[in-house]
């Protein structure tokens, strides 16, 4: 190969390299323009760390909080709807006197849900928006009417109201009125604070002597020396035939203790102010109250049919027994109220035989 040939070959290689470089640049430029056009058209924007961060921040942006309802009974509408709402409010506060055929004790709805459920002890505010709702105790979805009747049969130891009765319609009308402004289907109501204390799990046994002392010091003046009560809204009966039955939620240690700690006493009593009891004191007081006899609830064994009863359930369910649950190996708080009732019955039977 002579010098001219070598020069021609070098020139060809140089131009080939230049053409390839230009082709690569062209592809890059065209490709970028295509991506930009797609992004502008909304068909696949190019992702960058900055855009990812912005998207993430947008996904986590706080939503508008649902305000707590502030119902005013002076603002109920005129006519039949307003009359139903007012009647529903009366039924909440005078349940046992207005519905004696359906209430089997001396309690009213306001015994637990003070002020017709409008104060902070255990409020009803927004309750109409959360039903229908799955309730594990029933193992099925319940309507608001179902839930109301659950209270009639358990907390008030009575009978269910007819679903088409004027009284049921009035109670639903009232609960709907005090739920206005709460979105239907809401899962969490931020103003609801559960009345629960979990300290019982850390205790090997309750101190019933301390519970009795606390009861006499801060509870007996309103609820009676023997738990008989002084009135549905002044001091409801806490045990005995005129109190809630074992199927009520208040028969659970953790629920009763939580209600006591957060809400009792209503004023200073025996040197104790509302909210001053420790968790352990509240458990001891709850255990003392629940250690007494109270009405049974015949269908209680059918509760929590899926075997998911809470650890402080007041009784052992059929589902638990079918799974081979051994009550003798359970902690003291499991089935506590059930054992108290059985012990009370045995004591009465023994006293009768001695006579």
């Amino acid at each position: 190969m002579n010098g001219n040939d070598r020069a021609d070959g070098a020139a060809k290689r140089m131009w080939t390299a230049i053409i390839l470089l230009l082709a690569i640049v062209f592809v890059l430029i065209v490709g970028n323009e295509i991506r930009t056009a797609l992004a502008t058209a909304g068909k696949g924007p190019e992702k960058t760390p900055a855009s990812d961060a912005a998207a993430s921040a947008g996904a986590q942006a706080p939503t508008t909080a649902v305000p707590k309802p502030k119902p005013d009974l002076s603002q109920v509408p005129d006519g039949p709807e307003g009359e139903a709402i007012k009647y529903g409010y009366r039924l909440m506060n005078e349940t046992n006197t207005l519905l004696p055929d359906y209430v089997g004790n001396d309690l009213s709805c306001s015994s637990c849900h003070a002020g017709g459920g409008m104060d902070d002890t255990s409020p009803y505010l927004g309750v109409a928006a959360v039903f229908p709702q799955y309730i594990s105790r029933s193992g099925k979805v319940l309507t608001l009417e179902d839930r109301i009747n659950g209270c009639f049969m358990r907390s008030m130891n009575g009978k269910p109201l007819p679903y088409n009765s004027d009284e049921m319609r009035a109670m639903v009308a009232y609960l709907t009125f005090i739920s206005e402004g709460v979105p239907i289907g809401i899962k969490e109501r931020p103003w609801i604070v559960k009345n629960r204390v979990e300290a019982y799990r850390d205790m090997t046994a309750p101190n019933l002597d301390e519970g009795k002392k606390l009861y006499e010091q801060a509870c007996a003046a309103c609820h009676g020396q023997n738990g008989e009560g002084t009135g549905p809204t002044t001091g409801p009966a806490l045990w005995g035939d005129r109190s809630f039955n074992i199927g009520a939620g208040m028969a659970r240690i953790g629920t009763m203790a939580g209600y006591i700690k957060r809400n009792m006493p209503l004023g200073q009593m025996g040197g104790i102010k509302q909210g001053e009891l420790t968790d352990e004191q509240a458990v001891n007081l709850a255990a003392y109250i629940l250690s007494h006899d109270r009405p049974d609830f015949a269908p209680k064994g059918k509760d929590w049919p899926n075997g998911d009863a809470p650890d402080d359930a007041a009784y052992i369910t059929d589902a638990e027994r079918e799974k081979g649950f051994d009550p003798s190996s359970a902690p003291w708080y499991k089935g506590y109220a059930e054992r108290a009732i059985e012990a009370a019955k045995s004591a009465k039977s023994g006293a009768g035989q001695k006579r």
Side-chain angles (χ1 to χ4, degrees):
M1 180 180 292
N2 58 32
N4 290 334
D5 291 335
R6 285 196 296 271
D8 290 342
K12 288 179 179 179
R13 288 193 294 272
M14 180 184 70
W15 281 110
T16 300
I18 291 172
I19 291 171
L20 287 173
L21 179 60
L22 290 173
I24 292 171
V25 171
F26 177 81
V27 169
L28 290 174
I29 292 173
V30 172
N32 185 61
E33 289 178 351
I34 292 173
R35 288 194 297 272
T36 302
L38 288 174
T40 304
K43 296 181 179 179
E46 182 178 9
K47 291 188 175 182
T48 65
S51 64
D52 286 345
S56 177
Q60 296 174 9
T63 56
T64 303
V66 177
K68 178 181 178 181
K70 297 181 179 179
D72 183 352
L73 290 176
S74 68
Q75 300 299 314
V76 299
D78 294 329
E81 182 182 353
E83 293 305 314
I85 292 169
K86 293 175 184 177
Y87 185 36
Y89 177 68
R90 283 191 62 204
L91 288 167
M92 294 290 168
N93 292 289
E94 306 168 51
T95 325
N96 62 318
T97 55
L98 293 177
L99 295 170
D101 293 337
Y102 298 94
V103 178
N105 56 25
D106 294 329
L107 275 61
S108 70
C109 299
S110 288
S111 295
C112 297
H113 306 273
M118 288 196 286
D119 82 351
D120 290 331
T121 55
S122 190
Y124 285 141
L125 302 175
V127 69
V130 301
F131 283 88
Q133 180 186 136
Y134 175 78
I135 303 295
S136 60
R137 186 173 66 181
S138 303
K140 57 186 175 182
V141 173
L142 300 185
T143 65
L144 182 56
E145 291 85 350
D146 292 331
R147 189 66 185 86
I148 290 171
N149 272 338
C151 288
F152 269 95
M153 293 186 288
R154 296 169 185 266
S155 296
M156 288 181 280
N157 194 38
K159 299 185 300 184
L161 280 175
Y163 281 72
N164 62 349
S165 65
D166 289 342
E167 288 74 19
M168 178 63 83
R169 295 176 191 275
M171 296 180 88
V172 170
Y174 168 74
L175 293 175
T176 301
F177 174 76
I178 66 171
S179 299
E180 288 182 359
V182 181
I184 299 298
I186 190 172
K187 299 301 181 185
E188 296 292 336
R189 291 171 287 162
W191 55 88
I192 299 294
V193 179
K194 290 185 177 181
N195 295 309
R196 285 288 297 171
V197 162
E198 313 290 346
Y200 59 85
R201 297 193 186 102
D202 301 321
M203 300 167 60
T204 56
N207 185 335
L208 295 183
D209 289 335
E210 181 185 55
K212 180 180 180 181
K213 180 181 178 181
L214 289 169
Y215 181 84
E216 293 173 346
Q217 181 179 351
C219 310
C222 293
H223 295 281
Q225 289 293 330
N226 298 307
E228 70 276 15
T230 60
T233 58
T234 58
L238 295 181
W239 65 80
D241 293 340
R242 306 305 297 173
S243 186
F244 57 87
N245 67 40
I246 193 176
M250 200 66 80
R252 292 172 53 186
I253 286 285
T255 301
M256 168 70 82
Y259 192 94
I260 289 171
K261 177 176 172 60
R262 186 165 171 265
N263 303 305
M264 296 290 120
L266 293 179
Q268 182 169 325
M269 191 75 64
I272 298 175
K273 295 180 181 178
Q274 186 180 80
E276 284 189 345
L277 292 176
T278 66
D279 284 6
E280 188 168 317
Q281 285 177 321
V283 170
N284 289 332
L285 180 48
Y288 173 72
I289 292 170
L290 294 175
S291 69
H292 294 82
D293 191 14
R294 68 184 58 260
D296 196 8
F297 181 62
K300 64 181 184 295
K302 304 300 181 184
D303 287 346
W304 293 286
N306 296 318
D308 53 352
D311 63 359
D312 68 329
Y315 39 87
I316 310 302
T317 67
D318 292 348
E320 289 175 312
R321 296 183 192 280
E322 290 171 3
K323 289 184 177 181
F325 180 80
D326 181 8
S328 64
S329 64
W332 68 269
Y333 47 81
K334 181 68 171 179
Y336 182 80
E338 184 174 52
R339 291 195 303 275
I341 290 176
E342 292 172 352
K345 289 179 178 178
S346 296
K348 288 180 182 179
S349 176
Q353 291 177 356
K354 288 180 181 180
R355 288 197 297 269

